[in-house]
């Protein structure tokens, strides 16, 4: 109890109080600068980012394949997989390589997602290579958005 009363008594001393206020202000300023630096990093330097498309080098020039063309190609693969519905396809730029994220609805009670996902990933990579000549995709991530029961259609 004596320690607490000593602390209260010390707060009455103006020299000590001014030092404590200055210390708290400096600590608050440093904390504010850290938060601002974190926000700047998140806005400007965070990866992965959505990509507008993929550039392919040609002999005379370059070819730009938009992310919408890639998404349409991946969505056309839906007919090969009866237990999933491809909802969204994102082409992401991960600094040194590109990545595709496929968001699907999964029909519960059908084929196992552990069997569907690897074949969907391999088929996506193969079709991008065969149709557009894109070989810079290193990763295809499959994200299940929703599990749908058998009696509700997609």
């Amino acid at each position: 109890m004596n320690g607490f009363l000593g602390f209260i008594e010390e707060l009455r001393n103006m020299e000590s109080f001014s030092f404590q206020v200055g210390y708290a202000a400096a600590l608050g300023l440093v904390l504010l600068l850290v938060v601002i630096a974190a926000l700047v990093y998140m806005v400007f330097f965070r990866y992965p980012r959505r990509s507008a498309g993929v550039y392919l080098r040609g002999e005379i020039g370059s070819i730009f394949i938009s992310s919408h063309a890639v998404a349409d190609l991946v969505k056309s693969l839906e007919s090969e997989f009866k237990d999933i519905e491809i909802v969204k396809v994102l082409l992401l730029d991960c600094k040194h390589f590109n990545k595709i994220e496929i968001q699907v609805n999964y029909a519960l009670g059908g084929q196992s997602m552990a069997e569907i996902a690897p074949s969907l990933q391999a088929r996506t990579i193969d079709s991008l290579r065969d149709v557009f000549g894109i070989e810079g995709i290193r990763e295809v991530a499959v994200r299940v958005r929703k599990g749908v029961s058998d009696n509700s259609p997609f």
Side-chain angles (χ1 to χ4, degrees), residues 52-73:
V54 178
Y55 281 99
L56 300 176
R57 302 245 183 247
E59 292 180 19
I60 300 173
S62 63
I63 301 169
F64 179 77
I65 300 170
S66 73
S67 62
H68 296 289
V70 171
D72 290 340
L73 176 66

Side-chain angles (χ1 to χ4, degrees), residues 2-65:
N2 193 19
F4 180 70
L5 291 176
F7 176 72
I8 297 294
E9 188 68 33
E10 195 175 309
L11 284 179
R12 291 178 141 180
N13 185 359
M14 283 307 279
E15 288 178 12
S16 174
F17 182 71
S18 297
F19 174 75
Q20 290 171 351
V21 168
Y23 184 76
L27 190 63
L29 182 65
V30 168
L31 186 63
L32 179 68
L33 290 175
V34 167
V35 168
I36 289 173
L39 288 173
V40 166
Y41 175 77
M42 287 174 53
V43 169
F44 293 109
F45 301 108
R46 196 176 118 193
Y47 284 92
R49 294 183 190 168
R50 281 191 179 182
S51 178
V54 178
Y55 281 99
L56 300 176
R57 302 245 183 247
E59 292 180 19
I60 300 173
S62 63
I63 301 169
F64 179 77
I65 300 170

Side-chain angles (χ1 to χ4, degrees), residues 41-134:
Y41 175 77
M42 287 174 53
V43 169
F44 293 109
F45 301 108
R46 196 176 118 193
Y47 284 92
R49 294 183 190 168
R50 281 191 179 182
S51 178
V54 178
Y55 281 99
L56 300 176
R57 302 245 183 247
E59 292 180 19
I60 300 173
S62 63
I63 301 169
F64 179 77
I65 300 170
S66 73
S67 62
H68 296 289
V70 171
D72 290 340
L73 176 66
V74 173
K75 285 181 181 180
S76 72
L77 299 175
E78 182 180 333
S79 61
E80 298 177 21
F81 302 95
K82 63 177 183 156
D83 293 327
I84 62 170
E85 173 193 21
I86 297 176
V87 179
K88 192 175 196 180
V89 178
L90 299 172
L91 179 62
L92 302 171
D93 179 23
C94 297
K95 210 164 196 170
H96 299 295
F97 64 93
N98 287 328
K99 169 183 172 180
I100 291 182
E101 180 179 301
I102 304 172
Q103 297 179 7
V104 300
N105 289 339
Y106 171 64
L108 299 173
Q111 188 178 4
S112 169
M113 194 63 196
E115 296 171 7
I116 295 173
S119 59
L120 176 62
Q121 292 166 333
R123 186 69 182 106
T124 299
I125 294 290
D126 291 341
S127 64
L128 286 171
R129 184 176 43 241
D130 294 342
V131 175
F132 292 129
I134 298 174

